[in-house]
Amino acid sequence: MTLLRDPIRTILSTYTFWRGAPGADLATSMAKKLSFAAFVQCFELSPAVISNPFTHHFAGIIREFPDDDIDGPALLALAKHNLSTFDFIGICEEYERSARLLCRELGWQLPVTLPHENRSGSEKDVANIDGQTLRILHERNQLDFKLYSYAITLFQEREQAS
């Protein structure tokens, strides 16, 4: 099972989390030093951080640096295929609906209060992303937006079928 989230919200949340996380890998260290805009510019070509990380992940191709031997449409097709094999796909922005569907399918009682842990607090910051940074994020995540849209379609189809 997996849950997908809007690509820009995911990147901002990851950046916010890394800013407060222990550790000294390159991405975490840079998140602590740079503004979000500078961080995006620094890693904009990295499939592990900014450039279509969902698509690379679900295609099974994780790389720190861009050097793809596979073109975008083929990469997206592979990611969609792999995503479609999951037993359950939820959508973070539809957390309650996703939890309700999962519980219904598993025959579980939906908790009265849904737990929601691991919040970075970045939700309020999405509206403050400057235009140039948004442009870079949209350009570098075209495949991820298509994959996210596909995940929403799969979720809605499954929801309607149950």
Side-chain angles (χ1 to χ4, degrees):
M1 85 176 258
T2 190
L3 278 89
L4 272 78
R5 186 178 193 186
D6 171 84
I8 291 175
R9 291 177 186 277
T10 300
I11 292 167
L12 179 58
S13 178
T14 301
Y15 164 80
T16 303
F17 174 77
W18 283 343
R19 287 180 63 83
D25 63 63
L26 179 61
T28 302
S29 297
M30 296 305 281
K32 291 175 182 178
K33 294 178 189 177
L34 300 174
S35 68
F36 182 63
F39 180 82
V40 168
Q41 289 176 354
C42 180
F43 288 102
E44 78 173 280
L45 298 179
S46 171
V49 182
I50 301 294
S51 186
N52 295 305
F54 280 166
T55 304
H56 286 86
H57 173 77
F58 284 104
I61 300 171
I62 303 294
R63 296 198 174 127
E64 289 296 325
F65 303 100
D67 187 25
D68 294 340
D69 296 328
I70 187 169
D71 69 345
L75 185 69
L76 180 60
L78 180 58
K80 283 181 171 181
H81 168 76
N82 290 342
L83 184 62
S84 72
T85 66
F86 277 68
D87 290 326
F88 182 83
I89 299 164
I91 303 299
C92 287
E93 287 78 13
E94 297 294 344
Y95 179 66
E96 188 173 323
R97 284 175 53 202
S98 296
R100 187 178 304 117
L101 178 60
L102 180 62
C103 287
R104 186 169 49 238
E105 289 190 1
L106 295 174
W108 295 349
Q109 182 71 29
L110 184 68
V112 174
T113 303
L114 288 175
H116 199 144
E117 298 178 20
N118 195 20
R119 289 188 181 204
S120 70
S122 64
E123 285 301 311
K124 64 187 178 319
D125 297 330
V126 171
N128 298 326
I129 300 173
D130 67 272
Q132 180 180 348
T133 301
L134 276 175
R135 182 187 55 74
I136 292 169
L137 290 168
H138 280 283
E139 285 176 8
R140 295 291 176 200
N141 287 282
Q142 291 180 18
L143 299 177
D144 274 8
F145 279 108
K146 289 177 183 176
L147 185 64
Y148 178 67
S149 178
Y150 178 68
I152 291 171
T153 299
L154 292 176
F155 171 75
Q156 290 171 340
E157 288 173 356
R158 187 155 190 162
E159 191 178 39
Q160 290 171 359
S162 76

